[in-house]
Protein backbone atom coordinates (compact mmCIF):
# COMPACT_ATOMS: atom_id res chain seq x y z
CA UNK A 1 0.00 0.00 0.00
CA UNK A 2 2.00 2.96 -1.24
CA UNK A 3 -0.45 5.73 -0.38
CA UNK A 4 -1.14 5.66 3.35
CA UNK A 5 -3.76 7.42 5.47
CA UNK A 6 -4.04 11.20 5.33
CA UNK A 7 -3.22 11.61 8.99
CA UNK A 8 -3.42 15.40 9.08
CA UNK A 9 -6.96 15.31 7.71
CA UNK A 10 -7.94 12.53 10.12
CA UNK A 11 -6.53 14.34 13.17
CA UNK A 12 -8.28 17.48 12.02
CA UNK A 13 -11.58 15.62 11.79
CA UNK A 14 -11.06 14.02 15.21
CA UNK A 15 -10.44 17.47 16.69
CA UNK A 16 -13.46 18.98 14.95
CA UNK A 17 -15.59 16.13 16.28
CA UNK A 18 -14.21 16.57 19.80
CA UNK A 19 -15.22 20.24 19.80
CA UNK A 20 -18.84 19.14 19.40
CA UNK A 21 -19.35 18.62 23.09
CA UNK A 22 -21.66 19.48 25.96
CA UNK A 23 -18.59 20.60 27.92
CA UNK A 24 -15.77 23.07 27.43
CA UNK A 25 -12.77 21.75 25.44
CA UNK A 26 -10.80 19.58 25.96
CA UNK A 27 -13.61 17.80 27.78
CA UNK A 28 -15.80 15.70 25.52
CA UNK A 29 -19.31 14.87 26.71
CA UNK A 30 -21.82 13.58 24.18
CA UNK A 31 -24.77 11.81 25.68
CA UNK A 32 -26.89 9.88 23.21
CA UNK A 33 -29.65 11.92 21.57
CA UNK A 34 -28.39 15.09 23.24
CA UNK A 35 -27.80 18.19 21.14
CA UNK A 36 -24.05 17.50 20.82
CA UNK A 37 -24.63 13.87 19.83
CA UNK A 38 -27.00 15.01 17.09
CA UNK A 39 -24.55 17.61 15.76
CA UNK A 40 -21.71 15.07 15.88
CA UNK A 41 -23.81 12.58 13.92
CA UNK A 42 -24.56 15.22 11.28
CA UNK A 43 -20.85 16.05 10.97
CA UNK A 44 -19.78 12.43 10.56
CA UNK A 45 -22.62 11.61 8.16
CA UNK A 46 -21.58 14.52 5.95
CA UNK A 47 -17.98 13.23 5.87
CA UNK A 48 -19.34 9.85 4.79
CA UNK A 49 -21.45 11.42 2.05
CA UNK A 50 -18.42 13.43 0.92
CA UNK A 51 -16.55 10.13 0.57
CA UNK A 52 -19.30 8.82 -1.71
CA UNK A 53 -20.79 6.42 0.86
CA UNK A 54 -24.51 5.71 0.96
CA UNK A 55 -25.83 6.54 4.42
CA UNK A 56 -28.84 5.00 6.13
CA UNK A 57 -30.10 4.85 9.71
CA UNK A 58 -32.25 2.46 11.68
CA UNK A 59 -34.97 3.20 14.20
CA UNK A 60 -32.55 3.86 17.04
CA UNK A 61 -30.02 5.84 15.00
CA UNK A 62 -27.47 3.13 14.27
CA UNK A 63 -25.90 4.58 11.14
CA UNK A 64 -24.59 2.62 8.15
CA UNK A 65 -22.35 4.22 5.54
CA UNK A 66 -21.86 1.83 2.67
CA UNK A 67 -19.17 1.68 0.05
CA UNK A 68 -20.77 -0.45 -2.60
CA UNK A 69 -18.84 -3.52 -3.68
CA UNK A 70 -18.77 -5.05 -7.15
CA UNK A 71 -21.05 -7.80 -5.80
CA UNK A 72 -23.44 -5.66 -3.80
CA UNK A 73 -25.74 -8.54 -2.88
CA UNK A 74 -23.07 -10.26 -0.80
CA UNK A 75 -23.16 -9.54 2.95
CA UNK A 76 -20.77 -6.64 3.58
CA UNK A 77 -17.63 -6.33 5.65
CA UNK A 78 -18.46 -4.11 8.62
CA UNK A 79 -16.20 -1.73 10.50
CA UNK A 80 -16.88 1.15 12.88
CA UNK A 81 -17.51 2.02 16.50
CA UNK A 82 -19.30 4.80 18.40
CA UNK A 83 -19.16 8.59 18.75
CA UNK A 84 -21.14 9.05 21.95
CA UNK A 85 -18.94 9.91 24.93
CA UNK A 86 -19.40 9.59 28.67
CA UNK A 87 -19.36 12.78 30.74
CA UNK A 88 -15.83 14.15 31.07
CA UNK A 89 -14.36 11.97 28.34
CA UNK A 90 -11.63 12.47 25.77
CA UNK A 91 -11.61 12.49 22.00
CA UNK A 92 -10.37 9.06 20.94
CA UNK A 93 -12.65 6.44 22.55
CA UNK A 94 -14.94 5.19 19.77
CA UNK A 95 -14.19 8.10 17.44
CA UNK A 96 -10.89 6.56 16.26
CA UNK A 97 -12.84 3.52 15.10
CA UNK A 98 -15.41 5.62 13.25
CA UNK A 99 -13.24 8.29 11.64
CA UNK A 100 -10.30 5.87 11.34
CA UNK A 101 -12.64 3.40 9.63
CA UNK A 102 -13.73 6.15 7.25
CA UNK A 103 -10.10 7.06 6.57
CA UNK A 104 -9.30 3.40 5.85
CA UNK A 105 -12.09 3.40 3.25
CA UNK A 106 -10.79 6.64 1.73
CA UNK A 107 -7.27 5.16 1.53
CA UNK A 108 -8.62 2.21 -0.42
CA UNK A 109 -10.67 4.48 -2.67
CA UNK A 110 -7.61 6.60 -3.33
CA UNK A 111 -5.67 3.52 -4.34
CA UNK A 112 -8.37 2.61 -6.84
CA UNK A 113 -9.26 -0.56 -4.94
CA UNK A 114 -12.61 -2.07 -5.92
CA UNK A 115 -14.10 -4.12 -3.10
CA UNK A 116 -15.99 -7.25 -4.11
CA UNK A 117 -18.07 -7.18 -0.95
CA UNK A 118 -19.43 -3.82 0.13
CA UNK A 119 -17.65 -2.23 3.08
CA UNK A 120 -20.00 -0.72 5.62
CA UNK A 121 -18.94 1.79 8.23
CA UNK A 122 -21.21 1.53 11.27
CA UNK A 123 -21.73 4.23 13.89
CA UNK A 124 -23.43 2.50 16.78
CA UNK A 125 -25.94 4.33 18.95
CA UNK A 126 -25.16 4.68 22.64
CA UNK A 127 -22.21 2.41 23.18
CA UNK A 128 -21.89 4.28 26.45
CA UNK A 129 -24.41 3.56 29.19
CA UNK A 130 -24.71 7.18 30.32
CA UNK A 131 -28.32 7.92 29.42
CA UNK A 132 -30.11 4.59 29.88
CA UNK A 133 -27.74 2.79 32.27
CA UNK A 134 -26.97 0.06 29.75
CA UNK A 135 -24.04 0.02 27.34
CA UNK A 136 -24.01 -0.90 23.64
CA UNK A 137 -27.69 -0.15 23.22
CA UNK A 138 -27.57 -0.03 19.41
CA UNK A 139 -25.51 -3.16 18.86
CA UNK A 140 -27.39 -5.01 21.64
CA UNK A 141 -30.63 -4.39 19.77
CA UNK A 142 -29.08 -5.24 16.39
CA UNK A 143 -28.06 -8.59 17.86
CA UNK A 144 -31.44 -9.08 19.62
CA UNK A 145 -29.73 -9.31 23.00
CA UNK A 146 -32.08 -6.58 24.21
CA UNK A 147 -35.67 -7.07 23.08
CA UNK A 148 -37.88 -4.20 21.91
CA UNK A 149 -40.01 -4.72 25.04
CA UNK A 150 -36.95 -4.40 27.30
CA UNK A 151 -35.82 -1.36 25.32
CA UNK A 152 -39.24 0.27 25.69
CA UNK A 153 -38.94 -0.04 29.46
CA UNK A 154 -35.69 1.97 29.56
CA UNK A 155 -35.85 5.42 31.17
CA UNK A 156 -33.28 8.12 31.59
CA UNK A 157 -32.69 10.08 34.83
CA UNK A 158 -35.50 12.47 33.98
CA UNK A 159 -37.90 9.59 33.38
CA UNK A 160 -37.99 9.97 29.59
CA UNK A 161 -38.30 6.74 27.67
CA UNK A 162 -36.41 5.55 24.63
CA UNK A 163 -39.36 5.97 22.27
CA UNK A 164 -39.89 9.62 23.10
CA UNK A 165 -36.18 10.42 22.99
CA UNK A 166 -35.53 8.69 19.67
CA UNK A 167 -38.63 10.31 18.16
CA UNK A 168 -37.40 13.72 19.31
CA UNK A 169 -34.05 12.91 17.70
CA UNK A 170 -35.83 12.15 14.43
CA UNK A 171 -35.56 8.36 14.42
CA UNK A 172 -38.85 6.76 13.41
CA UNK A 173 -39.73 3.17 12.61
CA UNK A 174 -40.36 0.32 15.00
CA UNK A 175 -37.87 -0.99 17.54
CA UNK A 176 -38.65 -4.43 16.10
CA UNK A 177 -36.99 -3.40 12.81
CA UNK A 178 -33.55 -2.93 14.43
CA UNK A 179 -32.76 -6.63 14.88
CA UNK A 180 -30.45 -8.05 12.24
CA UNK A 181 -30.30 -11.64 11.09
CA UNK A 182 -27.16 -13.68 11.54
CA UNK A 183 -25.08 -13.21 8.42
CA UNK A 184 -26.15 -9.58 7.89
CA UNK A 185 -22.39 -8.85 8.04
CA UNK A 186 -19.97 -11.29 6.50
CA UNK A 187 -17.31 -10.16 9.00
CA UNK A 188 -16.88 -7.20 11.31
CA UNK A 189 -13.66 -5.55 12.51
CA UNK A 190 -13.51 -2.64 15.00
CA UNK A 191 -10.58 -0.28 15.47
CA UNK A 192 -10.30 1.20 18.99
CA UNK A 193 -7.79 2.63 21.43
CA UNK A 194 -6.58 0.02 23.91
CA UNK A 195 -7.82 1.92 27.00
CA UNK A 196 -5.04 0.12 28.89
CA UNK A 197 -1.26 0.61 29.09
CA UNK A 198 0.24 -2.51 27.52
CA UNK A 199 0.86 -1.52 23.91
CA UNK A 200 2.51 1.76 24.88
CA UNK A 201 4.61 0.14 27.62
CA UNK A 202 5.76 -2.64 25.31
CA UNK A 203 6.21 -0.25 22.35
CA UNK A 204 3.98 -2.33 20.11
CA UNK A 205 2.17 -0.70 17.19
CA UNK A 206 -1.13 -2.57 17.29
CA UNK A 207 -3.00 -5.10 19.40
CA UNK A 208 -5.08 -7.85 17.84
CA UNK A 209 -7.92 -8.70 20.18
CA UNK A 210 -8.65 -12.37 20.72
CA UNK A 211 -11.30 -12.06 23.48
CA UNK A 212 -13.56 -9.36 24.89
CA UNK A 213 -14.20 -9.53 28.65
CA UNK A 214 -17.68 -10.15 30.01
CA UNK A 215 -19.36 -7.08 31.50
CA UNK A 216 -22.17 -7.05 34.05
CA UNK A 217 -24.01 -4.34 35.85
CA UNK A 218 -26.22 -4.58 38.91
CA UNK A 219 -28.34 -1.70 40.15
CA UNK A 220 -28.80 -1.58 43.92
CA UNK A 221 -31.67 0.40 45.44
CA UNK A 222 -31.49 0.97 49.18
CA UNK A 223 -34.39 2.32 51.16
CA UNK A 224 -33.66 3.40 54.72
CA UNK A 225 -35.17 6.04 56.93
CA UNK A 226 -34.41 9.73 56.62
CA UNK A 227 -34.49 12.33 59.33
CA UNK A 228 -32.70 15.19 61.04
CA UNK A 229 -28.92 14.71 61.06
CA UNK A 230 -28.60 16.37 64.48
CA UNK A 231 -31.68 15.40 66.36
CA UNK A 232 -31.86 11.75 65.39
CA UNK A 233 -29.40 9.80 67.56
CA UNK A 234 -27.22 7.01 66.23
CA UNK A 235 -28.95 4.00 67.80
CA UNK A 236 -31.67 2.72 65.53
CA UNK A 237 -30.76 4.78 62.51
CA UNK A 238 -31.47 3.28 59.09
CA UNK A 239 -29.00 5.28 57.06
CA UNK A 240 -29.24 4.15 53.43
CA UNK A 241 -25.84 5.58 52.53
CA UNK A 242 -24.04 3.88 55.41
CA UNK A 243 -25.58 0.62 54.16
CA UNK A 244 -24.44 1.50 50.64
CA UNK A 245 -20.91 2.17 51.87
CA UNK A 246 -20.72 -1.39 53.16
CA UNK A 247 -21.80 -2.66 49.77
CA UNK A 248 -19.22 -0.57 47.91
CA UNK A 249 -16.44 -2.00 50.05
CA UNK A 250 -17.89 -5.50 49.78
CA UNK A 251 -17.81 -5.30 45.99
CA UNK A 252 -14.21 -4.12 46.07
CA UNK A 253 -13.20 -6.97 48.28
CA UNK A 254 -15.16 -9.57 46.28
CA UNK A 255 -13.45 -8.44 43.06
CA UNK A 256 -10.02 -8.51 44.70
CA UNK A 257 -10.91 -11.75 46.43
CA UNK A 258 -11.06 -13.87 43.27
CA UNK A 259 -7.27 -13.61 43.21
CA UNK A 260 -7.45 -13.07 39.44
CA UNK A 261 -6.06 -9.87 38.00
CA UNK A 262 -8.80 -9.99 35.36
CA UNK A 263 -11.65 -9.48 37.84
CA UNK A 264 -12.70 -5.85 38.33
CA UNK A 265 -15.58 -4.30 40.25
CA UNK A 266 -16.59 -0.63 40.36
CA UNK A 267 -19.40 1.46 41.83
CA UNK A 268 -19.47 4.42 39.45
CA UNK A 269 -22.79 5.94 40.48
CA UNK A 270 -24.04 6.69 43.99
CA UNK A 271 -27.21 8.71 43.94
CA UNK A 272 -28.23 9.91 47.40
CA UNK A 273 -31.64 11.21 48.44
CA UNK A 274 -32.30 13.85 49.65
CA UNK A 275 -28.62 14.78 49.15
CA UNK A 276 -28.55 17.36 51.94
CA UNK A 277 -25.74 17.64 54.45
CA UNK A 278 -28.02 17.80 57.48
CA UNK A 279 -30.35 15.02 56.46
CA UNK A 280 -29.90 11.28 56.97
CA UNK A 281 -29.91 9.62 53.54
CA UNK A 282 -33.15 7.74 53.12
CA UNK A 283 -32.65 6.41 49.60
CA UNK A 284 -29.54 5.43 47.68
CA UNK A 285 -29.04 4.05 44.20
CA UNK A 286 -25.77 2.38 43.36
CA UNK A 287 -24.82 1.40 39.81
CA UNK A 288 -22.17 -1.28 39.79
CA UNK A 289 -19.91 -2.49 36.97
CA UNK A 290 -18.33 -5.93 37.26
CA UNK A 291 -16.18 -7.59 34.60
CA UNK A 292 -13.94 -10.55 33.98
CA UNK A 293 -12.70 -12.48 31.00
CA UNK A 294 -14.09 -15.53 32.82
CA UNK A 295 -17.89 -15.26 32.92
CA UNK A 296 -18.31 -17.79 35.74
CA UNK A 297 -15.87 -15.98 37.98
CA UNK A 298 -17.60 -12.67 37.18
CA UNK A 299 -20.91 -14.25 38.19
CA UNK A 300 -19.41 -15.32 41.53
CA UNK A 301 -18.70 -11.66 42.30
CA UNK A 302 -22.28 -10.75 41.39
CA UNK A 303 -23.49 -13.51 43.73
CA UNK A 304 -21.24 -12.27 46.54
CA UNK A 305 -22.64 -8.76 46.13
CA UNK A 306 -26.19 -10.10 46.21
CA UNK A 307 -25.43 -12.09 49.39
CA UNK A 308 -23.97 -8.99 51.04
CA UNK A 309 -27.08 -7.00 50.08
CA UNK A 310 -29.25 -9.60 51.85
CA UNK A 311 -27.03 -9.60 54.93
CA UNK A 312 -26.78 -5.79 55.20
CA UNK A 313 -30.54 -5.41 54.69
CA UNK A 314 -31.42 -7.69 57.56
CA UNK A 315 -28.70 -6.45 59.92
CA UNK A 316 -29.42 -2.74 59.34
CA UNK A 317 -33.18 -3.00 58.86
CA UNK A 318 -33.11 -1.31 55.46
CA UNK A 319 -34.76 -2.57 52.28
CA UNK A 320 -32.36 -3.45 49.47
CA UNK A 321 -33.60 -4.33 46.00
CA UNK A 322 -31.25 -5.38 43.24
CA UNK A 323 -31.81 -5.34 39.52
CA UNK A 324 -29.50 -7.12 37.12
CA UNK A 325 -29.08 -4.57 34.31
CA UNK A 326 -26.95 -6.87 32.17
CA UNK A 327 -24.65 -9.87 32.52
CA UNK A 328 -23.18 -10.58 29.13
CA UNK A 329 -20.94 -13.48 28.18
CA UNK A 330 -17.42 -12.83 26.88
CA UNK A 331 -16.79 -12.97 23.12
CA UNK A 332 -14.01 -14.66 21.18
CA UNK A 333 -12.61 -13.20 17.98
CA UNK A 334 -12.92 -15.06 14.72
CA UNK A 335 -9.73 -16.91 13.73
CA UNK A 336 -9.91 -15.90 10.05
CA UNK A 337 -10.19 -12.18 10.86
CA UNK A 338 -7.40 -12.45 13.42
CA UNK A 339 -5.24 -14.12 10.75
CA UNK A 340 -6.09 -11.32 8.28
CA UNK A 341 -5.15 -8.71 10.88
CA UNK A 342 -1.84 -10.45 11.61
CA UNK A 343 -1.05 -10.72 7.92
CA UNK A 344 -1.94 -7.04 7.40
CA UNK A 345 0.22 -5.94 10.34
CA UNK A 346 3.16 -7.90 8.97
CA UNK A 347 2.66 -6.53 5.45
CA UNK A 348 2.42 -2.99 6.83
CA UNK A 349 5.63 -3.50 8.80
CA UNK A 350 3.86 -2.96 12.14
CA UNK A 351 4.62 -4.85 15.31
CA UNK A 352 1.63 -6.50 16.98
CA UNK A 353 0.59 -8.63 19.91
CA UNK A 354 -2.53 -10.64 20.57
CA UNK A 355 -4.43 -9.41 23.59
CA UNK A 356 -7.67 -9.33 25.51
CA UNK A 357 -10.06 -6.37 25.58
CA UNK A 358 -11.02 -5.56 29.14
CA UNK A 359 -13.36 -2.80 28.03
CA UNK A 360 -16.56 -3.76 26.30
CA UNK A 361 -17.31 -2.72 22.75
CA UNK A 362 -20.09 -3.04 20.21
CA UNK A 363 -18.13 -5.96 18.74
CA UNK A 364 -19.10 -7.95 21.86
CA UNK A 365 -22.69 -7.92 20.60
CA UNK A 366 -22.02 -8.04 16.87
CA UNK A 367 -20.17 -11.29 17.69
CA UNK A 368 -23.63 -12.84 18.20
CA UNK A 369 -24.56 -12.27 14.55
CA UNK A 370 -21.24 -12.19 12.70
CA UNK A 371 -17.59 -13.19 13.02
CA UNK A 372 -15.73 -10.27 14.66
CA UNK A 373 -12.28 -9.16 15.74
CA UNK A 374 -10.81 -5.92 17.03
CA UNK A 375 -7.68 -3.93 16.36
CA UNK A 376 -6.21 -1.85 19.19
CA UNK A 377 -3.81 1.05 19.06
CA UNK A 378 -1.90 2.36 22.09
CA UNK A 379 -3.15 5.24 24.20
CA UNK A 380 -0.88 7.27 26.44
CA UNK A 381 -0.55 5.88 29.95
CA UNK A 382 -3.51 3.61 29.28
CA UNK A 383 -5.71 6.59 30.10
CA UNK A 384 -9.28 6.57 28.80
CA UNK A 385 -12.69 7.93 29.84
CA UNK A 386 -10.85 11.12 30.79
CA UNK A 387 -10.22 14.38 28.92
CA UNK A 388 -6.45 13.71 28.85
CA UNK A 389 -6.96 10.53 26.80
CA UNK A 390 -4.39 10.66 23.97
CA UNK A 391 -3.29 8.60 20.99
CA UNK A 392 -0.49 9.96 18.81
CA UNK A 393 -1.01 10.59 15.09
CA UNK A 394 1.58 7.91 14.46
CA UNK A 395 -0.31 5.32 16.52
CA UNK A 396 -3.57 6.20 14.82
CA UNK A 397 -1.88 6.05 11.42
CA UNK A 398 -0.59 2.54 12.12
CA UNK A 399 -4.07 1.41 13.15
CA UNK A 400 -5.71 2.87 10.05
CA UNK A 401 -3.04 1.39 7.81
CA UNK A 402 -3.52 -2.12 9.23
CA UNK A 403 -7.31 -1.70 9.17
CA UNK A 404 -7.28 -0.60 5.50
CA UNK A 405 -5.21 -3.63 4.49
CA UNK A 406 -7.49 -5.91 6.49
CA UNK A 407 -10.68 -4.48 4.98
CA UNK A 408 -9.17 -4.89 1.52
CA UNK A 409 -8.31 -8.52 2.23
CA UNK A 410 -11.72 -9.33 3.73
CA UNK A 411 -13.70 -7.54 1.02
CA UNK A 412 -11.81 -9.12 -1.90
C1 LIG B 1 -16.95 1.04 27.39
O1 LIG B 1 -17.03 2.24 27.28
C2 LIG B 1 -16.60 0.41 28.60
O2 LIG B 1 -16.95 0.95 29.67
O3 LIG B 1 -15.93 -0.63 28.55
MN1 LIG C 1 -16.03 4.31 26.46
MN1 LIG D 1 -15.40 2.81 23.17
Amino acid sequence: MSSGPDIDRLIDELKTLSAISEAEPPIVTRVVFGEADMRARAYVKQLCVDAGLVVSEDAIGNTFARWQGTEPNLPPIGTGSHIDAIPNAGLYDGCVGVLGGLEAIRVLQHLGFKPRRSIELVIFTSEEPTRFGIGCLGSRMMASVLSPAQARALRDKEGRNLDELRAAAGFGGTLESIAMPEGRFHQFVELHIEQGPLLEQEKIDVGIVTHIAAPASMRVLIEGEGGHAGARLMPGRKDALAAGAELILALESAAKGTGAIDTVGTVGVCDVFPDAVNSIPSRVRLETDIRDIDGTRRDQVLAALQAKCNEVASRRGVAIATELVNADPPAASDAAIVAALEESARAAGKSYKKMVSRAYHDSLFIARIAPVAMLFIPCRGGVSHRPDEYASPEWIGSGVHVLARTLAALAS
Side-chain angles (χ1 to χ4, degrees), residues 94-171:
C95 300
V96 160
V98 171
L99 293 178
L102 174 61
E103 182 56 27
I105 289 174
R106 291 186 301 212
V107 167
L108 296 177
Q109 289 175 332
H110 188 71
L111 290 169
F113 175 75
K114 297 270 177 271
R116 185 169 73 92
R117 291 180 183 277
S118 300
I119 298 179
E120 207 164 79
L121 178 71
V122 187
I123 303 146
F124 294 99
T125 285
S126 194
E127 191 269 353
E128 301 292 5
T130 312
R131 173 152 244 152
F132 294 110
I134 185 162
C136 299
L137 187 54
S139 51
R140 230 177 242 283
M141 293 197 71
M142 280 162 70
S144 304
V145 176
L146 187 79
S147 70
Q150 289 168 317
R152 265 184 209 102
L154 295 174
R155 299 280 181 278
D156 72 2
K157 267 214 307 272
E158 280 81 40
R160 285 169 301 185
N161 67 37
L162 176 61
D163 270 334
E164 64 184 281
L165 284 160
R166 74 188 177 95
F171 300 116

Side-chain angles (χ1 to χ4, degrees), residues 216-238:
S217 176
M218 190 188 263
R219 181 171 295 136
V220 181
L221 303 164
I222 310 165
E223 182 100 40
E225 227 169 66
H228 196 286
R232 187 111 185 221
L233 299 179
M234 297 311 281
R237 277 197 189 195
K238 293 181 179 173

Side-chain angles (χ1 to χ4, degrees), residues 28 101-102 134 149 197 200 218 228 233 236 245 266 270 277-278 281 294 341 373 386 407:
V28 183
L102 174 61
I134 185 162
E200 185 194 30
M218 190 188 263
H228 196 286
L233 299 179
T266 308
C270 176
V277 68
N278 56 352
D294 180 328
L341 285 163
R386 280 177 20 192
L407 291 176

Side-chain angles (χ1 to χ4, degrees), residues 167-190:
F171 300 116
T174 64
L175 292 179
E176 282 71 15
S177 65
I178 297 166
M180 289 186 160
E182 217 176 307
R184 162 65 174 75
F185 291 105
H186 182 65
Q187 288 158 322
F188 188 90
V189 54
E190 179 173 0

Side-chain angles (χ1 to χ4, degrees), residues 216-218 288 290 298-307 324 326-327:
S217 176
M218 190 188 263
T288 70
I290 302 155
R298 188 271 323 270
D299 288 345
Q300 284 162 5
V301 176
L302 275 171
L305 177 62
Q306 180 63 62
L324 191 60
N326 63 290

